């Protein structure tokens, strides 16, 4: 953004554009920049979206990230009450549910993805036709 | 001031052109129930605390299912549920689930 600002200022300096035109460009740049990441700063407005689309059916599930964050506390709470027998059985298979930090996971989803897809699967089957599964944050 | 909070949970079921079913559920009912449960949870927590003390005396450090569940705080559970519910409501109008399979359609909307 700094580079673009400098370019606009240079254009004014060289006389390619007038000062008012430059001002307009700077304003547009500012607006553009605000619009680029409008939801990233507000966790409350963002959703984890799951889309399953094929010839026969469509499924859309929207889960607010803020809800995920709150319910992660509930899941963390529940992890403590897994019976010891079940826990040791899982540990034998190399599964340790308590090591999953859901808060961190939600944080990573929030920070790392502006409009990237977490899951994008596109398959074609003779029976059910083309199926697309997408999981993304929006 | 205008309130953006959703007030109704609508479960819409449609099976073709004729059959359409809309089940409205007032969210204020859940809100009041959870508020009431918070007080009850506080009482249950106090009872659990007494029971835990007795249980610890009886089992003297035994760590089985009794011990695990005795540490459960009902108040924490209800608080988290209330927070989750608040998060669901604060978004105003939105669709949580939409499933369409042929003529059969199910929607879970917050209104």
């Amino acid at each position: 953004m700094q580079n673009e600002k400098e370019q606009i200022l240079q254009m004014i300096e060289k006389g390619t554009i007038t000062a008012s035109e430059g001002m307009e460009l700077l304003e547009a740049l500012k607006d553009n920049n605000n619009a680029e990441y409008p939801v990233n700063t507000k966790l409350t407005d963002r959703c984890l979206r799951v889309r399953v689309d094929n010839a026969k059916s469509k499924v859309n599930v929207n889960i607010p990230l803020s809800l995920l964050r709150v319910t992660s506390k509930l899941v963390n709470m529940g992890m403590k009450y897994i019976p010891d027998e079940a826990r040791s059985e899982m540990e034998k298979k190399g599964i340790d549910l308590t090591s999953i930090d859901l808060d961190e996971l939600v944080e990573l989803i929030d920070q790392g993805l502006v409009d990237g897809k977490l899951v994008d699967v596109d398959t074609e089957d003779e029976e059910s036709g083309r199926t697309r599964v997408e999981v993304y944050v929006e | 001031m205008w309130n953006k909070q959703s007030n109704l949970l609508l479960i819409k079921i449609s099976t073709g052109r004729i059959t359409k079913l809309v089940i409205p559920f007032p969210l204020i009912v859940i809100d009041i129930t959870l508020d009431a449960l918070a007080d009850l949870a506080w009482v249950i927590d106090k009872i659990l605390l007494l029971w835990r003390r007795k249980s610890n005396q009886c089992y003297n450090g035994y760590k089985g299912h009794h011990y695990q569940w005795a540490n459960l705080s009902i108040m924490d559970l209800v608080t988290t549920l209330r927070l989750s519910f608040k998060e669901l409501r604060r978004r105003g109008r939105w669709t949580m689930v939409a499933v369409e399979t042929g003529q059969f359609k199910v929607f879970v909307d917050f209104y």
Side-chain angles (χ1 to χ4, degrees):
Chain A
M1 190 190 167
Q2 197 62 34
N3 199 23
E4 285 158 338
K5 269 185 183 174
E6 276 174 19
Q7 277 179 355
I8 294 166
L9 291 172
Q10 277 172 4
M11 281 161 83
I12 299 168
E13 204 179 326
K14 284 175 190 170
T16 323
I17 52 169
T18 62
S20 60
E21 283 171 342
M23 197 64 201
E24 273 176 27
L25 280 173
L26 283 171
E27 284 294 320
L29 192 70
K30 198 177 160 188
D31 289 344
N32 228 9
N33 233 28
N34 287 341
E36 204 173 341
Y37 306 103
V39 282
N40 199 22
T41 49
K42 281 183 95 181
L43 185 74
T44 48
D45 292 341
R46 301 185 74 197
C47 266
L48 181 75
R49 299 190 193 275
V50 182
R51 302 262 177 278
V52 182
D53 200 347
N54 76 14
K56 290 174 186 169
S57 57
K58 274 182 186 177
V59 178
N60 292 335
V61 179
N62 305 313
I63 306 158
L65 277 186
S66 52
L67 180 71
L68 271 185
R69 179 162 284 175
V70 174
T71 44
S72 69
K73 285 176 196 164
L74 201 69
V75 176
N76 282 336
M77 210 188 289
M79 297 277 195
K80 291 179 202 163
Y81 303 108
I82 298 170
D84 287 339
E85 295 88 5
R87 197 187 297 250
S88 60
E89 277 295 315
M90 280 192 284
E91 273 170 12
K92 276 178 200 167
K93 289 173 186 171
I95 304 163
D96 184 12
L97 290 177
T98 49
S99 66
I100 302 169
D101 191 345
L102 287 166
D103 289 333
E104 198 185 337
L105 198 67
V106 175
E107 195 72 44
L108 283 172
I109 290 170
D110 182 45
Q111 284 174 359
L113 295 160
V114 174
D115 36 44
K117 282 173 186 166
L118 284 167
V119 177
D120 189 1
V121 182
D122 201 345
T123 58
E124 200 149 357
D125 192 69
E126 280 179 18
E127 219 173 274
S128 54
R130 194 179 171 190
T131 305
R132 186 154 196 190
V133 181
E134 291 172 296
V135 181
Y136 57 96
V137 179
E138 198 178 65
Chain B
M1 196 174 159
W2 181 59
N3 194 354
K4 200 195 162 191
Q5 273 198 342
S6 28
N7 296 311
L8 282 173
L9 170 74
L10 298 174
I11 300 168
K12 298 176 191 170
I13 302 164
S14 161
T15 54
R17 283 183 185 174
I18 305 159
T19 326
K20 274 180 188 169
L21 181 69
V22 179
I23 307 165
F25 198 81
L27 294 174
I28 191 87
V29 174
I30 303 174
D31 219 2
I32 293 167
T33 310
L34 285 174
D35 277 351
L37 273 177
D39 295 335
L40 189 67
W42 184 83
V43 177
I44 293 171
D45 265 358
K46 293 287 165 200
I47 295 166
L48 273 176
L49 188 75
L50 290 172
W51 179 74
R52 200 181 299 150
R53 275 181 198 157
K54 266 195 175 178
S55 176
N56 278 351
Q57 280 168 6
C58 292
Y59 292 102
N60 200 19
Y62 166 72
K63 290 191 177 185
H65 294 297
H66 282 89
Y67 188 82
Q68 277 181 333
W69 286 102
N71 282 335
L72 177 73
S73 166
I74 309 290
M75 190 71 189
D76 284 352
L77 197 72
V78 173
T79 309
T80 318
L81 276 173
R82 281 173 83 186
L83 281 173
S84 312
F85 186 68
K86 253 187 195 169
E87 287 300 333
L88 282 172
R89 282 193 77 185
R90 68 192 270 180
R91 296 180 66 83
R93 275 176 79 165
W94 64 289
T95 303
M96 193 183 198
V97 180
V99 181
E100 291 178 44
T101 48
Q103 285 190 324
F104 194 78
K105 291 174 188 172
V106 178
F107 294 92
V108 178
D109 289 345
F110 284 84
Y111 189 82

